[in-house]
Amino acid sequence: SIAETYPAIVALDELEAGKDGKGARPPPNTDGTPQDTLADQAIRLRQLMSILETQFSGDNIVLVFPDGSSPALLSAMIAGIPYSKAHVLDFEPGEIRLNVTMQPTLALFDEKQRQNADSYQALIASGKEELQRLRSMADEDLISKKDQLIEKERLVIEEDYQRKEKARLAKEQAEQQARLARQREIDLERMKSRGILDGGSDE
């Protein structure tokens, strides 16, 4: 669950992402989760802000995110904070922040670092242990039971499709061969018919 893997994600980004967020790429997976670094996410956030600035310049905009880390990364981008430190600014569920500009965000960052220093370091330590455990697991063990079930169902559907497709192709091939055989019979009958007629005219 996200509650179990969140400390590992924070530790991965904090320890390996680097200032520009290009490190700490998550391992590949088969559940459709993007294998993105913080730098990859930052590119999409930058594109989003460019579109908003172009289409809604001068308007008040409310951004709603499905998690607390994406808006934290956007805040770090605005304030010039190293991407690896973005999780210091992680939003709580349902949290609303106004005036997310450079100076207020820097002040909030400093405040959170002071107030949450011990708990954040504890989170990193816990995340390091969880990260080590996850990295020691086989790839198939990293996939959730739900994703395993979905993959199993996909394979059953794919197998059923392949079976039906094979049967369809075999039927089409048999029908084509039958048509060719019938056409050969018709051609043979015509040739015989012409031979009889030609033979009759010679007499």
Side-chain angles (χ1 to χ4, degrees):
S1 68
I2 186 62
E4 295 173 335
T5 58
Y6 174 72
I9 294 171
V10 175
L12 179 67
D13 291 337
E14 174 79 23
L15 301 173
E16 301 179 19
K19 182 179 179 180
D20 57 4
K22 292 182 178 180
R25 184 174 297 280
N29 58 76
T30 60
D31 65 358
T33 305
Q35 189 190 355
D36 288 347
T37 63
L38 291 175
D40 295 328
Q41 298 174 47
I43 290 173
R44 291 202 300 273
L45 288 169
R46 195 174 292 113
Q47 292 170 342
L48 169 65
M49 298 307 293
S50 177
I51 292 172
L52 294 177
E53 184 178 8
T54 300
Q55 297 185 358
F56 304 102
S57 179
D59 294 339
N60 293 322
I61 299 174
V62 176
L63 296 179
V64 180
F65 291 86
D67 66 321
S69 297
S70 296
L73 177 58
L74 179 58
S75 300
M77 294 166 59
I78 292 172
I81 296 169
Y83 293 175
S84 59
K85 296 290 185 181
H87 289 291
V88 173
L89 294 169
D90 277 0
F91 282 54
E92 296 295 330
E95 182 180 355
I96 298 175
R97 293 181 194 170
L98 304 176
N99 192 25
V100 183
T101 55
M102 184 174 185
Q103 292 305 323
T105 301
L106 285 172
L108 178 64
F109 178 75
D110 291 339
E111 179 183 349
K112 283 183 171 290
Q113 280 197 307
R114 289 194 305 271
Q115 293 181 352
N116 304 327
D118 292 341
S119 60
Y120 189 74
Q121 289 305 315
L123 178 66
I124 298 298
S126 172
K128 286 174 64 177
E129 294 180 1
E130 178 64 12
L131 187 59
Q132 184 176 5
R133 184 186 72 83
L134 292 172
R135 284 175 166 168
S136 68
M137 295 171 63
D139 291 343
E140 58 269 19
D141 294 332
L142 289 172
I143 304 174
S144 68
K145 292 182 179 180
K146 177 181 178 181
D147 291 327
Q148 290 178 4
L149 179 61
I150 292 173
E151 178 65 11
K152 184 177 180 180
E153 291 176 349
R154 186 193 69 79
L155 291 174
V156 170
I157 293 172
E158 179 68 18
E159 183 179 351
D160 183 61
Y161 169 79
Q162 293 293 342
R163 185 177 66 254
K164 290 180 179 178
E165 185 68 7
K166 184 177 180 180
R168 183 186 67 80
L169 292 174
K171 181 180 179 182
E172 288 184 356
Q173 185 176 12
E175 290 175 348
Q176 184 179 16
Q177 291 176 348
R179 287 194 298 269
L180 291 173
R182 179 56 182 163
Q183 187 62 47
R184 285 196 294 268
E185 291 177 359
I186 293 173
D187 292 342
L188 184 59
E189 290 295 329
R190 287 176 177 172
M191 291 174 64
K192 289 180 179 180
S193 177
R194 292 195 195 99
I196 294 173
L197 291 175
D198 290 342
S201 61
D202 290 339
E203 296 177 358

